[in-house]
Amino acid sequence: MRALLLLFALWLCGAAHAESIEKAIMPGELAKAHAKIEEECSKCHQRFDRSAQDRLCQDCHKDIRKDIAGRQGFHGHLDNTTCRTCHTDHKGRGASLIVIDTKKFDHAKTGFQLKGKHADIATKCASCHVAGKKYRDADTACASCHRKDDVHKTRLGEDCQRCHTEKNWKETSFDHEKTKFSLVGGKHAEVKCKSCHVDQTFKGAETQCNACHKKTDDEKGHKGRFGTKCETCHTDRGWKDIKFDHDTDTHYLLKGKHRAAKCVSCHLPEKGSLYQQKLPTKCVACHKADDDEKGHKGKLGDKCESCHNERGWKTGTFDHDTTHFPLRGGHRETKCEACHIGGVSGNKANVKLDTACVSCHRKDDQSKGHKGRYGDRCETCHADTKWKDARFDHSKTAYPLRGKHLEVRCDACHLVDFGPLKGSKIQQTCFACHQKDDKHKGQLGKDCAKCHDERRWQGTAFDHARSRFPLVGSHTKVDCAKCHTTPAFRDAPSACIGCHERDDVHKKRFGTRCETCHSARSWAAWDFDHASTGFLLDGGHAKVQCDTCHEKEMTGKATRRPCVACHTRDDVHEGGFGAQCDRCHVTANWKRQKR
């Protein structure tokens, strides 16, 4: 018995000693979250069984155990479920038990994959994970983060992903066809949501056309007199797309211009609802004002359709060819009142109209210059196609008309002062009519035909080679007006300097005989042979510009100058070897000497 008591006492002493040893060898203080169990090592450790540590952790963290068992959440998707792999303790009160590398952390293992715009904030955990709360407690509902962005003010619930995506909050994928108001096939599909859903509540939006299109109804002239069932006439393909069929839906068939007429043209607004009005169908009911303006004034009765039709008020069906005066040519386009001054059916005295041309065209005869000198038989020259269509054949006279002469009015040549046109003798020379057009001031004589022809007065066939200044080289491409500044052609200068004074970069230092060096091929191409002066340009002299040596105006033949005249500054001998530099130097290079 004493032995048993001794053994028990020894065991107690050993246990107390072991616990004190564990505290003594503890590597450091526990983190703040575990501080309350720092004295109870058995809460996290089991002697001689290291694998028990994960089970002990889960005894406290039951939510983690549930995730691991159910293969859900972040811990449920980890391949290694050993707690100490990620969470270490005994590093002091201020140490964190959770250390996450945001750049490497795979958020998809949490059950909430970061896609679209969410991926842009992958390293900004605090955007969704509020301080003081566990990461696992973050709400995954869109509204938890986007409540401020919810312009619908929660009236559409919190299931934001039904319409919105992670790519862009403003980009929606809502299928409007699942509602009771289809957008397919019409202009509604192109309309922005806020145009109809003004307060962005969406639910309870008006579906009647008039709710959105009342302003259009007022502007189009209906002003509510057709009611609110716009779809009776209009379609959602376009406001102007009318499906109302006046031919089948009413007792009045619309033909011709009536189809293009506006409803209110016949259905007057002041007479009540347009579709309830009982209108007369006689033409004169709508066209009385037209009847008064056109000159009938009711004298032909109210059967307008006898002459007119729906294709156009001006389109008459009356056949004038059945009368004793068939209408042809321009007469077909003439208004009835132009001849029938007292009314279409005749004048007030019911007198037959005169069919002679002059009876209607006397004013034209006066204004066109004939003034009765051709008599009353206008049809001798004019046709009924147009008054200007003259059919008189001038080629049968002694002066056939060609070119522009065919377009000239008779009175331009047959002046009124000559008396009656027929039989008047007119000079046939160009100068007789075109003396005023002669801008050459008589310098070129009176034979205009040498240069001009009937095709056009400005088109000339003049051969410049026959003049005292034949055109060669680049001169053949120059416009006449460049040299002949006035039509007095002979006044144009023939000396080069007369036209090329601005081009003379020598400023007349080489005189005014430009042709000595330059040619008509090109101003930049010059033909002067300097060797003919007795001073051959070779070597470096060939590249020197003329005015480098010829500084003053050349009034005569230039005298040969010694080298030192130009190369005084280059003479390093300072005149010690005289002025004949060419005894030692060469023109190719001043520094190279003769051997």
Side-chain angles (χ1 to χ4, degrees):
M1 185 67 179
R2 292 181 65 184
L4 290 173
L5 291 173
L6 180 61
L7 290 172
F8 181 71
L10 290 172
W11 181 81
L12 289 174
C13 291
H17 181 65
E19 187 174 350
S20 63
I21 290 175
E22 288 176 347
K23 291 180 180 179
I25 64 175
M26 184 169 63
E29 291 184 329
L30 295 181
K32 185 178 180 180
H34 288 162
K36 61 183 179 181
I37 61 170
E38 191 173 55
E39 301 296 328
E40 304 177 65
C41 300
S42 60
K43 286 283 188 180
C44 299
H45 304 282
Q46 184 172 332
R47 291 177 185 174
F48 311 114
D49 188 2
R50 190 173 185 180
S51 62
Q53 187 173 8
D54 293 335
R55 174 177 53 77
L56 294 172
C57 290
Q58 293 178 26
D59 287 344
C60 287
H61 300 282
K62 293 180 175 58
D63 50 355
I64 302 298
R65 172 177 287 170
K66 184 178 180 182
D67 286 348
I68 294 174
R71 299 290 294 173
Q72 63 184 14
F74 178 68
H75 293 89
H77 289 89
L78 292 177
D79 297 330
N80 185 356
T81 56
T82 302
C83 303
R84 63 177 175 273
T85 303
C86 301
H87 308 286
T88 58
D89 209 337
H90 293 291
K91 291 187 177 181
R93 290 285 189 266
S96 175
L97 291 173
I98 303 175
V99 179
I100 298 176
D101 187 351
T102 57
K103 294 182 179 179
K104 297 181 179 180
F105 183 72
D106 186 2
H107 207 282
K109 291 184 177 181
T110 66
F112 189 87
Q113 186 177 0
L114 298 181
K115 297 183 293 184
K117 287 291 184 180
H118 287 158
D120 297 342
I121 60 170
T123 58
K124 300 178 182 178
C125 307
S127 299
C128 301
H129 299 281
V130 182
K133 284 189 176 183
K134 295 180 179 180
Y135 286 167
R136 63 178 292 110
D137 293 338
D139 196 345
T140 58
C142 305
S144 62
C145 289
H146 295 286
R147 196 173 302 281
K148 291 182 180 179
D149 300 320
D150 182 17
V151 295
H152 316 306
K153 305 185 186 304
T154 70
R155 281 173 288 198
L156 297 182
E158 296 186 352
D159 193 7
C160 309
Q161 62 269 24
R162 286 189 306 168
C163 302
H164 300 278
T165 65
E166 300 98 332
K167 290 188 295 186
N168 191 322
W169 181 258
K170 295 181 179 180
E171 184 178 330
T172 61
S173 58
F174 180 71
D175 185 4
H176 211 282
E177 297 310 300
K178 293 180 180 180
T179 69
K180 60 182 180 179
F181 193 87
S182 175
L183 300 182
V184 174
K187 290 288 186 180
H188 288 151
E190 304 171 8
V191 178
K192 293 183 178 180
C193 305
K194 62 181 180 181
S195 297
C196 299
H197 303 280
V198 180
D199 57 357
Q200 297 188 0
T201 57
F202 296 108
K203 284 187 176 180
E206 286 284 352
T207 58
Q208 280 195 347
C209 307
N210 197 58
C212 290
H213 296 286
K214 186 178 184 307
K215 183 179 179 181
T216 310
D217 181 60
D218 292 341
E219 292 176 353
K220 300 300 179 184
H222 305 335
K223 303 185 186 303
R225 289 181 290 110
F226 277 177
T228 58
K229 291 185 178 181
C230 310
E231 65 275 11
T232 305
C233 298
H234 302 277
T235 69
D236 54 5
R237 293 190 300 272
W239 185 259
K240 294 181 179 180
D241 192 355
I242 308 299
K243 66 180 182 180
F244 179 74
D245 190 351
H246 205 282
D247 296 346
T248 58
D249 296 343
T250 71
H251 63 280
Y252 190 81
L253 185 67
L254 295 182
K255 301 176 183 177
K257 290 288 186 179
H258 285 160
R259 286 194 174 278
K262 293 182 179 180
C263 305
V264 292
S265 298
C266 300
H267 300 271
L268 302 179
E270 60 270 15
K271 293 187 178 181
S273 298
L274 305 191
Y275 56 86
Q276 293 179 351
Q277 295 178 21
K278 292 182 179 180
L279 300 179
T281 57
K282 285 187 176 182
C283 306
V284 76
C286 287
H287 295 286
K288 187 178 185 308
D290 297 319
D291 182 59
D292 292 339
E293 292 176 2
K294 301 304 177 184
H296 307 335
K297 302 185 185 302
K299 288 181 295 198
L300 296 184
D302 56 4
K303 291 186 177 181
C304 309
E305 64 274 12
S306 300
C307 298
H308 302 278
N309 57 45
E310 300 93 337
R311 291 195 300 274
W313 183 257
K314 295 180 181 181
T315 304
T317 57
F318 179 73
D319 187 5
H320 208 281
D321 292 349
T322 59
T323 70
H324 65 283
F325 190 86
L327 298 182
R328 297 182 179 87
H331 287 156
R332 287 190 176 276
E333 303 172 5
T334 305
K335 294 182 179 180
C336 305
E337 295 80 2
C339 298
H340 299 274
I341 300 174
V344 178
S345 60
N347 53 31
K348 293 181 179 179
N350 198 24
V351 177
K352 292 182 179 180
L353 298 179
D354 191 350
T355 58
C357 304
V358 76
S359 63
C360 287
H361 296 285
R362 192 173 300 279
K363 288 184 178 179
D364 298 319
D365 182 59
Q366 293 293 324
S367 62
K368 301 306 177 184
H370 304 336
K371 302 184 185 302
R373 292 181 289 116
Y374 275 175
D376 294 344
R377 297 186 62 187
C378 309
E379 65 274 12
T380 304
C381 297
H382 300 279
D384 51 8
T385 52
K386 287 183 181 178
W387 181 258
K388 294 181 180 180
D389 273 349
R391 59 189 181 189
F392 180 76
D393 189 359
H394 211 283
S395 62
K396 294 180 180 180
T397 68
Y399 191 85
L401 298 181
R402 301 184 183 92
K404 287 291 184 178
H405 286 160
L406 291 171
E407 303 173 9
V408 178
R409 291 174 57 179
C410 305
D411 299 336
C413 299
H414 298 273
L415 303 179
V416 178
D417 297 340
F418 291 166
L421 305 189
K422 186 177 180 181
S424 60
K425 294 182 179 180
I426 299 177
Q427 295 185 33
Q428 300 179 7
T429 61
C430 306
F431 203 73
C433 287
H434 294 286
Q435 185 174 357
K436 293 181 179 179
D437 300 321
D438 179 26
K439 297 180 180 179
H440 312 307
K441 299 180 181 179
Q443 285 184 346
L444 304 183
K446 297 181 180 182
D447 191 4
C448 310
K450 288 192 301 183
C451 300
H452 301 278
D453 56 35
E454 301 96 333
R455 291 194 300 273
R456 55 178 179 169
W457 181 256
Q458 294 179 344
T460 62
F462 181 72
D463 184 5
H464 215 282
R466 296 168 58 189
S467 71
R468 56 192 172 93
F469 192 88
L471 298 181
V472 294
S474 297
H475 286 159
T476 59
K477 302 177 183 178
V478 178
D479 290 338
C480 304
K482 288 288 187 179
C483 300
H484 300 281
T485 56
T486 68
F489 291 162
R490 292 186 177 179
D491 293 342
S494 58
C496 304
I497 198 69
C499 291
H500 294 286
E501 186 173 359
R502 292 184 179 180
D503 301 321
D504 182 18
V505 295
H506 315 307
K507 303 186 184 301
K508 296 184 179 180
R509 288 197 302 271
F510 293 165
T512 59
R513 296 188 62 192
C514 310
E515 66 274 11
T516 305
C517 299
H518 299 278
S519 70
R521 296 194 308 277
S522 170
W523 182 259
W526 51 280
D527 301 325
F528 182 71
D529 184 7
H530 209 281
S532 63
T533 64
F535 190 86
L536 177 66
L537 295 182
D538 61 352
H541 288 157
K543 302 177 182 179
V544 177
Q545 293 189 7
C546 305
D547 52 5
T548 303
C549 300
H550 299 279
E551 297 176 353
K552 296 181 179 180
E553 181 178 354
M554 296 178 62
T555 55
K557 187 174 182 180
T559 57
R560 185 170 180 177
R561 302 168 66 187
C563 305
V564 75
C566 290
H567 294 285
T568 302
R569 295 182 181 180
D570 301 320
D571 183 16
V572 296
H573 314 303
E574 297 180 354
F577 291 151
Q580 293 183 348
C581 309
D582 52 340
R583 288 185 303 174
C584 298
H585 298 277
V586 296
T587 58
N589 191 320
W590 179 262
K591 295 182 179 181
R592 189 184 302 167
Q593 297 182 1
K594 294 181 179 178
R595 293 181 180 181

